[in-house]
Amino acid sequence: MTTAWPKSLAPDGPLSATLRRAGPQILNGLHPARLLARALGSDRLDFARAFGDTWMVLVQVQAGSELLRGLAELATDLEPRLAGIPDGSTTTTLRRTNGRADPSPAPLGVSGLHERLARTNLLVLPLRKRAAADRPFPNRVSVGRAGNSDLVLRDDSISRFHGYFATAEAGGFSLVDARSKNGTFLNGAPLTPLEPAVLRAGDEVRFGDVAATLCLPETFWDLVAGGAPLTGRAKKTLTGT
């Protein structure tokens, strides 16, 4: 499946030859190219350290959609930490913690992500607050159609303030539906408004008609770079070393 990706997400110049090492399925179905390049230019441990305090949100998108255009704007800033937030401030990313009350299922693996790519195209964003989003609650990542949401989903099925991700009391993350018009779903089951639902890596969530998968940074690296280590000129092109 091939999507007409916005130019801000597509590979250009010297990145194209290197990114082809990831394989056609990933290049055609998974963006932004900048994040793929970062994975290809890092070893697994360095990538996990950079993004290890948060998860990746893999949003299903269609060519030419307003949803894709809106998410493309968010994808221009992919640093793990927020720009403009000084050290020692309040939480800048939602952090993974231990001590979950319920047992977790097996994490989503590379084969599971390949199955999703065979069915749809995915735009990947770190689960974190935006520096430009004018919203309170530093331990929450808001989801909605409004432009000041942390995760802006431009789709008619999305409420202006649809829901939010938060750190869960038992550890990890939770997801809350904020009395949205078309509901929020976790692995196909509707959430009760305002009641937190504990999340696990590999869960599928849906806001209205917009579906997404939650993924560990390590699993994302395995998908993109696990079979395509960088050496020689390709490594120098991306990393400068």
Side-chain angles (χ1 to χ4, degrees):
M1 182 180 297
T2 301
T3 293
W5 295 100
K7 290 184 179 179
S8 61
L9 301 178
D12 63 339
L15 293 182
S16 298
T18 300
L19 287 171
R20 278 197 293 271
R21 298 168 64 87
Q25 183 189 44
I26 291 174
L27 286 179
N28 290 334
L30 187 65
H31 271 61
R34 236 180 105 201
L35 191 55
L36 305 187
R38 181 167 189 151
L40 286 163
S42 307
D43 63 29
R44 193 176 192 269
L45 181 59
D46 287 342
F47 191 81
R49 284 172 174 168
F51 289 96
D53 283 343
T54 191
W55 290 349
M56 302 298 189
V57 184
L58 287 69
V59 184
Q60 297 181 21
V61 293
Q62 294 182 350
S65 66
E66 186 64 22
L67 174 65
L68 176 57
R69 286 191 289 270
L71 289 171
E73 296 176 8
L74 298 182
T76 56
D77 176 18
L78 291 169
E79 292 305 311
R81 295 188 177 276
L82 290 175
I85 302 294
D87 291 340
S89 65
T90 54
T91 306
T92 57
T93 59
L94 292 186
R95 296 182 176 275
R96 281 187 281 162
T97 55
N98 297 319
R100 287 195 178 96
D102 351 347
S104 297
L108 179 73
V110 173
S111 60
L113 289 178
H114 275 295
E115 290 175 4
R116 283 160 177 74
L117 279 172
R119 301 194 306 263
T120 187
N121 298 287
L122 301 172
L123 183 75
V124 186
L125 295 165
L127 178 58
R128 56 89 187 274
K129 293 192 73 67
R130 290 168 51 215
D134 182 21
R135 298 196 66 87
F137 307 112
N139 65 331
R140 298 181 181 179
V141 170
S142 59
V143 180
R145 199 175 69 253
N148 64 345
S149 302
D150 296 306
L151 182 57
V152 181
L153 301 178
R154 296 180 185 171
D155 187 88
D156 290 342
S157 69
I158 303 298
S159 300
R160 287 185 58 79
F161 177 40
H162 198 102
Y164 59 89
F165 295 93
T167 49
E169 292 183 4
F173 300 124
S174 64
L175 178 62
V176 178
D177 177 81
R179 294 197 177 105
S180 64
K181 180 179 180 180
N182 293 307
T184 303
F185 301 80
L186 174 59
N187 298 321
L191 298 187
T192 301
L194 304 182
E195 291 190 9
V198 175
L199 299 172
R200 300 171 184 84
D203 281 340
E204 291 193 10
V205 299
R206 180 163 58 84
F207 304 96
D209 294 335
V210 179
T213 300
L214 303 175
C215 173
L216 293 174
E218 298 92 324
T219 306
F220 178 80
W221 187 95
D222 289 340
L223 174 70
V224 174
L230 278 184
T231 58
R233 178 182 291 183
K235 183 175 182 179
K236 187 174 182 180
T237 298
L238 282 175
T239 66
T241 58

